Amino acid sequence: MPSFIDNLPIKPMSFQAIEQEALFFLYDYQPCALTRMQPTDMIQILEHDIYDHCGVRLELVDTLPRSVEAQTVFQTKRIQMTELGYEKLCTGSPRDRFTTAHEIGHCILHLPEISNIQLLAARGSSYKIRPFEEPERQANYFAAALLMPLPTLCETYRRLSIVGYSQDDIFTFLAKSFKVSLQVVKIRIDIISKNKGVYELISKLGIKQPFAYCRTQKVV
């Protein structure tokens, strides 16, 4: 997942803004994911939707740099993935689904900026990148929002809570239903419950609040 933009300060984006980008994309290409509990169709997005959205194509390659499972090549508008990685994605591997969603996040959030020569020139500078300017952090949050859409996530969590499921059982159910790891579920719900912007977005969308907002000192 690391790329040449790792050390570049990307346009600041709040969690709420990234959440909205994921919702807009799903509304245009997979609206059913916003109303019905189901795994986001990452094959459809990777092979068709992302090209329609911003001209990015899938490219299967023999090898990638060590420890890299997939990468976005901004210059040629390609998401590169090995055949093994693609096969694992097709089987519904939670890890490979998240990796793919992460690269999709780079394309949607960062592709327009990468053509900016001034941004490229910032690489290697002494500028200290703030947390909400980190491209990997932004792409990770987008991936979670894409794989676990806010409306269905909240509604499912709320319904299971009402009937008496424990939080651990709810996390397990969500991980299995969305085909993501348990860790991704826990991190996503933790961020939602601690971020005022996302919490307020839930209300604006008319979604019944399933979580308790916990104020923290540092909120992005």
Side-chain angles (χ1 to χ4, degrees):
M1 288 189 289
S3 69
F4 82 96
I5 68 170
D6 286 357
N7 297 321
L8 298 180
I10 298 298
K11 177 182 69 175
M13 290 191 75
S14 66
F15 287 134
Q16 179 181 356
I18 297 172
E19 194 82 54
Q20 289 175 320
E21 288 294 331
L23 288 171
F24 292 151
F25 182 82
L26 288 170
Y27 180 82
D28 287 339
Y29 295 100
Q30 296 197 25
C32 289
L34 300 176
T35 59
R36 185 170 65 246
M37 181 73 170
Q38 62 184 46
T40 303
D41 189 342
M42 294 309 303
I43 298 297
Q44 172 67 27
I45 292 176
L46 185 61
E47 294 187 348
H48 303 286
D49 299 340
I50 195 61
Y51 176 75
D52 182 68
H53 182 77
C54 55
V56 174
R57 294 184 182 275
L58 167 65
E59 180 182 3
L60 295 180
V61 296
D62 293 331
T63 59
L64 286 171
R66 186 176 181 179
S67 77
V68 175
E69 298 169 334
Q71 64 182 11
T72 300
V73 184
F74 293 94
Q75 299 93 323
T76 58
K77 290 190 173 183
R78 295 288 190 272
I79 292 178
Q80 293 183 336
M81 181 181 295
T82 63
E83 290 192 10
L84 177 59
Y86 180 77
E87 290 173 0
K88 290 165 66 178
L89 175 65
C90 290
T91 64
S93 161
R95 182 182 181 88
D96 291 275
R97 281 173 55 78
F98 188 87
T99 296
T100 303
H102 175 98
E103 299 307 323
I104 296 298
H106 277 313
C107 295
I108 292 175
L109 302 178
H110 305 139
L111 184 60
E113 278 192 86
I114 299 307
S115 59
N116 185 332
I117 190 64
Q118 291 181 342
L119 177 64
L120 296 178
R123 185 181 185 187
S125 71
S126 59
Y127 178 80
K128 185 177 181 181
I129 302 176
R130 295 170 293 181
F132 45 87
E133 295 174 325
E134 294 175 2
E136 294 302 302
R137 188 173 190 244
Q138 292 181 4
N140 276 340
Y141 188 78
F142 182 93
L146 186 70
L147 293 170
M148 292 175 281
L150 198 59
T152 48
L153 170 66
C154 292
E155 180 61 16
T156 303
Y157 190 103
R158 187 183 70 84
R159 288 182 178 274
L160 293 178
S161 297
I162 290 174
V163 297
Y165 279 76
S166 69
Q167 188 176 63
D168 286 343
D169 287 341
I170 294 175
F171 287 166
T172 300
F173 179 85
L174 291 172
K176 183 177 180 180
S177 299
F178 285 120
K179 291 186 178 180
V180 298
S181 70
L182 196 59
Q183 181 184 17
V184 169
V185 174
K186 291 179 178 180
I187 292 175
R188 175 145 172 73
I189 292 177
D190 182 64
I191 290 176
I192 291 174
S193 65
K194 293 180 180 179
N195 187 273
K196 185 177 181 180
V198 179
Y199 198 78
E200 291 176 347
L201 178 62
I202 293 175
S203 295
K204 291 179 181 179
L205 293 173
I207 301 172
K208 295 181 179 179
Q209 297 282 10
F211 316 117
Y213 169 57
C214 303
R215 183 181 295 275
T216 57
Q217 291 185 341
K218 294 184 179 180
V219 176
V220 175

